[in-house]
Amino acid sequence: MHSIPVNAPVITAAAKRYVADAMESGWVSSAGSYIDKFEAAFAAYIGRKHAITTTNGTSALHLALAGLGVTEGDEVIIPDFTMVACIDAILYCGALPVLCDIEPETFTIDPRDIERKITKKTKVIMPVHVYGHPADMDEILALAKQHGIAVLEDAAEAHGAKYRGRMCGAMGDAAAFSFYGNKIITTGEGGMVVTDNDVLAARLRRLKDLAHSPERRFWHEEIGFNYRMTNLQAALGLGQLESIASFLERKRTMAQRYSAGLQGIAGLRTPITKDDCENVFWMYAIVLDATFPLSRDAFRAALKDRGIDTRDFFYPLHGMPLAAPFVQQKDQFPVADDVALRGCYLPSGLAITDAQIDTVIDAIRTIARSA
Ligand SMILES: *Cc1c(COP(=O)(O)O)cnc(C)c1O
């Protein structure tokens, strides 16, 4: 049967040309002109002074936390509903993750829960722009300022998203991006940290390259990491980045088409974009309320039978063995628990066609009607 994948990327002609050029040049490792070009272009796009490439989004988060000085005994606040890399990066630093519940409409971290969970040990707040919708940054930045805490945005899913006119990734002390194959800009595997802070940027560059002493090469005073991106990946990223405007336009028209086609189905909640926000719909995420005739799992299985691939929402972190040592009995995450059971996302890749979107819509209408 003809099937519709949940995510198929588009690799542009420019990207292919640049990768071939990087190969021709012989600069296949982490030195080479595409690294500088990609970092400069990405920094300019986000509107930040520095952009530092890494091996992936997880290492970008870890590098940023290490650069911000997060260490044993520090607490880092993250949403309960996010990709596991967020908690892993904190644990690599030996620090303590502190989980917060999320907002029901955008699935992003709830600033009221952040306020409750700030302590003297809180070093960083890490909001995540989930599925391409910005977190409530003004509230978060105000809390951080009031308590002298750094903010690290996880913008892995939100290249080009905007919050009150500001770019996601340009609001916190630093931000981390991922360029995994399903992200809006991809380098295959890859990541980036962006910041305006010169001192932090220099520190990140040193740490990601094994912390060579600035004065003496092969001399090391602290633990570093090898988080260097290759020139080949940067070439791919630069080529992809040149098309970001059309990628974002495609995400917008995809979401509009889905939302128009899925209107009026009882119990099916289409994504909400808050006023003053630009959602980039990294994934077109829906929630099935109690009035929908099928459970989320039965719904997904019915789509699968028709060759349509979907994905569950994240499991809340607090329920996973990995996070158990950091969750207290009194901690409650009712919103994360609820949407995690009811949510899924539809095929949303850049390569999706209007005809495929219409096929998905028709399938959902048929499934809802005949249940
Ligand atoms: C993809 C993703 C990451 C991790 O990026 P990788 O490149 O896969 O390591 C981190 N956070 C969020 C929210 C993500 O979606």
Side-chain angles (χ1 to χ4, degrees):
M1 190 195 330
H2 190 71
S3 69
I4 304 179
V6 76
N7 198 307
V10 167
I11 306 299
T12 63
K16 290 174 189 167
R17 211 164 54 238
Y18 295 166
V19 173
D21 181 54
M23 299 275 270
E24 285 298 326
S25 77
W27 293 95
V28 293
S29 254
S30 57
S33 62
Y34 283 105
I35 294 281
D36 296 340
K37 284 185 202 161
F38 183 40
E39 289 182 343
F42 199 78
Y45 179 69
I46 301 297
R48 298 223 95 158
K49 215 164 148 189
H50 306 280
I52 294 121
T53 44
T54 66
T55 46
N56 53 56
T58 309
S59 59
L61 287 170
H62 178 214
L63 181 68
L65 289 177
L68 289 165
V70 172
T71 185
E72 257 157 74
D74 290 335
E75 294 178 357
V76 178
I77 290 179
I78 52 169
D80 183 41
F81 183 81
T82 185
M83 206 257 189
V84 72
C86 298
I87 191 167
D88 282 337
I90 298 166
L91 297 175
Y92 298 161
C93 297
L96 298 167
V98 175
L99 306 177
C100 286
D101 205 3
I102 56 168
E103 300 194 339
E105 294 188 330
T106 60
F107 321 129
T108 57
I109 192 164
D110 181 351
R112 287 163 304 176
D113 206 23
I114 296 178
E115 191 165 17
R116 280 192 286 271
K117 285 173 177 161
I118 288 174
T119 72
K120 289 196 174 57
K121 293 186 196 161
T122 310
K123 185 104 180 190
V124 175
I125 302 171
M126 191 198 291
V128 181
H129 308 302
V130 179
Y131 301 144
H133 193 293
D136 203 345
M137 290 303 294
D138 278 344
E139 308 257 352
I140 294 166
L141 292 167
L143 282 170
K145 192 167 174 199
Q146 187 189 335
H147 296 272
I149 303 168
V151 173
L152 169 61
E153 294 172 71
D154 180 344
E157 303 179 355
H159 312 71
K162 283 188 183 160
Y163 174 84
R164 300 188 177 157
R166 283 166 287 164
M167 203 62 130
C168 283
M171 293 178 278
D173 296 272
F177 287 85
S178 164
F179 305 121
Y180 183 67
N182 68 6
K183 302 295 159 77
I184 293 175
I185 295 297
T186 185
T187 61
E189 296 277 357
M192 191 86 88
V193 183
V194 296
T195 182
D196 291 330
N197 183 324
D198 299 340
V199 176
L200 177 62
R203 187 166 159 67
L204 297 174
R205 288 198 181 283
R206 195 164 63 248
L207 285 178
K208 79 164 232 196
D209 186 20
L210 300 169
H212 286 276
S213 156
E215 290 83 33
R216 273 166 93 185
R217 193 144 183 98
F218 302 124
W219 186 259
H220 304 269
E221 280 154 19
E222 60 181 325
I223 300 174
F225 324 112
N226 178 351
Y227 284 168
R228 301 186 306 256
M229 177 184 274
T230 68
N231 198 42
L232 298 179
Q233 292 166 305
L236 175 50
L238 182 71
Q240 296 291 96
L241 185 59
E242 287 176 0
S243 291
I244 192 165
S246 67
F247 289 173
L248 295 177
E249 183 55 23
R250 180 60 191 138
K251 288 286 190 185
R252 252 190 305 275
T253 57
M254 169 199 75
Q256 272 166 7
R257 197 171 186 94
Y258 268 134
S259 292
L262 296 173
Q263 223 178 27
I265 300 178
L268 188 152
R269 248 196 285 161
T270 57
I272 284 155
T273 302
K274 278 198 185 169
D275 287 350
D276 298 338
C277 285
E278 279 178 38
N279 187 346
V280 289
F281 301 101
W282 173 60
M283 292 293 160
Y284 188 87
I286 62 170
V287 175
L288 302 177
D289 288 326
T291 52
F292 193 77
L294 278 79
S295 74
R296 188 268 314 269
D297 294 349
F299 171 77
R300 286 192 61 220
L303 283 174
K304 189 85 206 163
D305 286 345
R306 291 167 166 78
I308 297 166
D309 201 13
T310 59
R311 286 288 179 282
D312 283 350
F313 272 12
F314 300 116
Y315 291 104
L317 288 173
H318 76 266
M320 288 196 254
L322 162 79
F326 313 103
V327 180
Q328 286 162 27
Q329 201 75 51
K330 65 172 169 41
D331 291 342
Q332 297 294 314
F333 308 91
V335 181
D337 280 331
D338 183 59
V339 299
L341 285 177
R342 300 176 181 283
C344 66
Y345 54 82
L346 303 179
S348 308
L350 288 167
I352 197 165
T353 64
D354 284 351
Q356 287 177 319
I357 296 171
D358 293 345
T359 302
V360 177
I361 293 166
D362 288 344
I364 292 175
R365 289 205 163 273
T366 308
I367 289 165
R369 210 173 28 240
S370 51

